[in-house]
Amino acid sequence: MITRNPLKHYNKHLVNQTLVAIVKDLPFNALSPSPIPHTTPPWTVSAVSEVLRSIPRYFFQSPRSIGRQKPLRHRAPLRQRNLHDEQRKFHDNILVLGPAAYRDPVKVNLGLHKAIEFFNWVETRFGFSHTETTCREMACVLARGNRVKLLWNFLKEMSSWESSEKLVTTETVTCLIKVLGEEGLVNEAMIAFYRMKQFHCKPDVYAYNTLIYALCRVGNFKKAKFLLEQMELPGFRCAPDVFTYTILISSYCRYGMQTGCRKATRRRIWEANHMFRLMLFKGFVPDVVTYNALIDGCCKTYRIERALELFDDMKKRDCVPNRITYDSFIRYYSAVNEIDKAIEMLRNMQKLNHGVATCSSYTPIIHALCQVGRVLDAWGFLVELVDGGSIPREYTYRLVCDALCYVGEGTLLDNDVHKRITDGIRNRYSQTMKFKPIMARKGYPELERV
């Protein structure tokens, strides 16, 4: 028999009730919840943190971001933002590009106001004592709302509070550096890093790695390498680790491909390989993430000899490759029309049990087979993909269907596989419609053609 925790269930109900009041802009005093046990306070640290963590999701995201996929696809290079320029453009009704695009300033201001009001309300109304966790979540709300001056004042006030627990710690400032870097406010992230001493904190290697990653995202490799050289000084308290070099290697490869310039791409790939060799010279052992970043960069820039050399070195060091490693080679061989080698890579991955093949493994092969006219082989790989428990993208399945009809093999679509794929696609659309109801008015034009 499963026993339900009444306090946990009550906290969940309390959080949902508070979020409804925040979204509807209702006064918090109208809630006035009473705890189940009289000896237990109505608000816990986890409940307050969950409310603060949910505010950016409801107020700071644009409608285009609701129900979006994980950001694993190609994105434009991030740039340092100018908040004063963005405010001027919002005031003059000028289009704003970047992370602030399609944001509603009214909703952002409302979310910030309700977050500050809730933060003070739970303290004055229920005598809740804020901890390092709740202060960190409140600081992240201010950072995601791009209220930098208010953020510095909040941290200064929290660091001066007399409490049994330190409210502003190194982990808090490191989390802020990460959030500010994701928002494109890298200069503000550097200010937070150098203000650690003001908040009586000492940076650790994780804080350095977070700042280096934020700098690399905007292409400021000069400052990132300066921090790395500072960490490499003899006797420095924060020595670099494998993750530090991996950040720079992956950022060199990613940023070089995003620039769209061959010379810049060639330069960044050379710097990534140089950083990899420097990493080996320093005595660090690269892991699978480091190899995957460099192999993917070499494959996407058509340096297959170097990628295979890294693949062999990976095996010599007993570093087991995974699906990400094989997918880089599969995409390269499919792009250069060497489909048999791509299939060989797929079979080796399955034979050696180095990963489970998914849509990212099968899709490049299926597209390449359709382009060269091997439609029946493409259909066989599509059936194998469905038997493995994955559902292809609508574009991939439509491409195979059109190719089968073109060669006169449309009868293959009248079987159970076709029904399983169409049902899976419809189910995926129905899940998306829960977040984007506007799609319900447009119907399913993609499915009508399948």
Side-chain angles (χ1 to χ4, degrees), residues 102-317:
Y102 307 102
R103 261 190 178 186
D104 188 358
V106 178
K107 292 185 63 177
V108 173
N109 292 330
L110 176 61
L112 289 169
H113 173 72
K114 300 300 291 187
I116 297 173
E117 183 182 354
F118 170 76
F119 187 83
N120 297 326
W121 176 71
V122 292
E123 182 182 11
T124 57
R125 174 71 170 80
F126 300 98
F128 178 79
S129 298
H130 287 288
T131 62
E132 187 268 340
T133 304
T134 57
C135 291
R136 182 196 310 171
E137 295 296 337
M138 184 63 210
C140 290
V141 171
L142 297 176
R144 295 188 187 279
N146 306 147
R147 297 299 185 269
V148 181
K149 291 184 179 180
L150 194 60
L151 173 62
W152 304 141
N153 294 333
F154 174 78
L155 292 177
K156 186 177 180 180
E157 182 182 357
M158 292 297 104
S159 61
S160 62
W161 274 14
E162 294 182 0
S163 177
S164 58
E165 180 183 0
K166 191 175 180 181
L167 299 181
V168 181
T169 61
T170 303
E171 290 77 11
T172 303
V173 182
T174 303
C175 186
L176 286 177
I177 294 172
K178 180 181 178 181
V179 172
L180 291 171
E182 293 173 351
E183 293 292 325
L185 304 173
V186 182
N187 292 339
E188 288 74 8
M190 292 182 61
I191 294 175
F193 178 79
Y194 288 114
R195 280 192 177 185
M196 277 192 178
K197 188 176 181 180
Q198 179 183 354
F199 304 133
H200 309 288
C201 303
K202 293 183 179 180
D204 53 3
V205 63
Y206 184 61
Y208 272 94
N209 291 342
T210 307
L211 182 59
I212 289 174
Y213 180 64
L215 290 168
C216 290
R217 290 190 66 180
V218 298
N220 194 350
F221 293 102
K222 184 177 180 180
K223 185 63 177 179
K225 289 191 68 175
F226 172 77
L227 291 175
L228 176 63
E229 293 172 356
Q230 185 179 5
M231 297 173 70
E232 290 176 340
L233 291 176
F236 194 74
R237 60 182 303 271
C238 296
D241 54 3
V242 177
F243 191 58
T244 311
Y245 291 96
T246 303
I247 290 173
L248 286 166
I249 292 171
S250 61
S251 299
Y252 278 134
C253 296
R254 187 185 306 112
Y255 192 83
M257 291 179 291
Q258 287 176 343
T259 54
C261 175
R262 290 186 178 181
K263 185 177 180 180
T265 302
R266 187 163 57 247
R267 175 66 181 177
R268 296 306 181 191
I269 296 298
W270 181 88
E271 289 178 343
N273 282 280
H274 175 73
M275 187 63 62
F276 181 79
R277 294 186 177 94
L278 181 63
M279 176 183 178
L280 297 178
F281 178 76
K282 296 288 185 179
F284 292 98
V285 180
D287 56 3
V288 65
V289 180
T290 310
Y291 277 108
N292 286 345
L294 193 54
I295 288 175
D296 184 64
C298 291
C299 288
K300 287 183 178 179
T301 54
Y302 302 99
R303 289 165 174 79
I304 189 60
E305 293 82 6
R306 176 59 179 164
L308 292 173
E309 179 183 345
L310 290 168
F311 190 62
D312 295 337
D313 183 68
M314 190 178 186
K315 297 177 181 178
K316 292 179 181 178
R317 295 180 182 273

Side-chain angles (χ1 to χ4, degrees), residues 13-32 43 51 55 59 110 114 117-118 121:
H13 172 72
L14 188 62
V15 169
N16 294 335
Q17 187 180 6
T18 306
L19 290 175
V20 171
I22 291 175
V23 173
K24 293 184 177 181
D25 194 14
L26 300 176
F28 291 109
N29 292 330
L31 299 177
S32 61
W43 284 100
V51 172
I55 289 177
F59 291 94
L110 176 61
K114 300 300 291 187
E117 183 182 354
F118 170 76
W121 176 71

Side-chain angles (χ1 to χ4, degrees), residues 318-342:
D318 295 331
C319 183
V320 181
N322 55 16
R323 179 179 58 85
I324 308 299
T325 315
Y326 287 94
D327 284 353
S328 299
F329 289 103
I330 291 173
R331 284 193 298 267
Y332 168 79
Y333 286 125
S334 300
V336 298
N337 205 17
E338 297 183 9
I339 309 175
D340 293 333
K341 291 186 178 180

Side-chain angles (χ1 to χ4, degrees), residues 304-404:
I304 189 60
E305 293 82 6
R306 176 59 179 164
L308 292 173
E309 179 183 345
L310 290 168
F311 190 62
D312 295 337
D313 183 68
M314 190 178 186
K315 297 177 181 178
K316 292 179 181 178
R317 295 180 182 273
D318 295 331
C319 183
V320 181
N322 55 16
R323 179 179 58 85
I324 308 299
T325 315
Y326 287 94
D327 284 353
S328 299
F329 289 103
I330 291 173
R331 284 193 298 267
Y332 168 79
Y333 286 125
S334 300
V336 298
N337 205 17
E338 297 183 9
I339 309 175
D340 293 333
K341 291 186 178 180
I343 297 174
E344 182 182 356
M345 278 288 178
L346 176 64
R347 298 310 181 196
N348 288 338
M349 178 180 66
Q350 296 173 337
K351 179 181 178 181
L352 299 175
N353 197 20
H354 285 168
V356 179
T358 59
C359 288
S360 61
S361 306
Y362 283 97
T363 301
I365 297 177
I366 294 173
H367 284 206
L369 289 172
C370 291
Q371 290 177 358
V372 299
R374 298 168 58 180
V375 184
L376 295 180
D377 293 338
W379 173 255
F381 279 100
L382 187 67
V383 173
E384 184 178 337
L385 171 65
V386 176
D387 291 339
S390 300
I391 300 297
R393 295 184 300 167
E394 302 86 63
Y395 176 79
T396 303
Y397 187 54
R398 191 188 312 135
L399 180 67
V400 176
C401 291
D402 294 342
L404 287 173

Side-chain angles (χ1 to χ4, degrees), residues 38-96:
H38 296 286
T39 59
T40 305
W43 284 100
T44 60
V45 175
S46 60
V48 175
S49 301
E50 181 63 27
V51 172
L52 294 174
R53 196 180 301 116
S54 302
I55 289 177
R57 189 165 60 245
Y58 289 108
F59 291 94
F60 299 165
Q61 285 188 357
S62 66
R64 295 158 56 98
S65 301
I66 301 176
R68 71 188 188 278
Q69 295 180 349
K70 294 182 179 180
L72 298 178
R73 297 185 180 180
H74 173 76
R75 293 292 184 266
L78 190 66
R79 296 182 180 179
Q80 171 64 34
R81 294 169 57 188
N82 189 336
L83 296 179
H84 295 287
D85 188 47
E86 289 180 1
Q87 292 178 0
R88 179 186 61 80
K89 289 183 178 180
F90 275 125
H91 183 267
D92 298 339
N93 293 326
I94 301 176
L95 179 62
V96 178

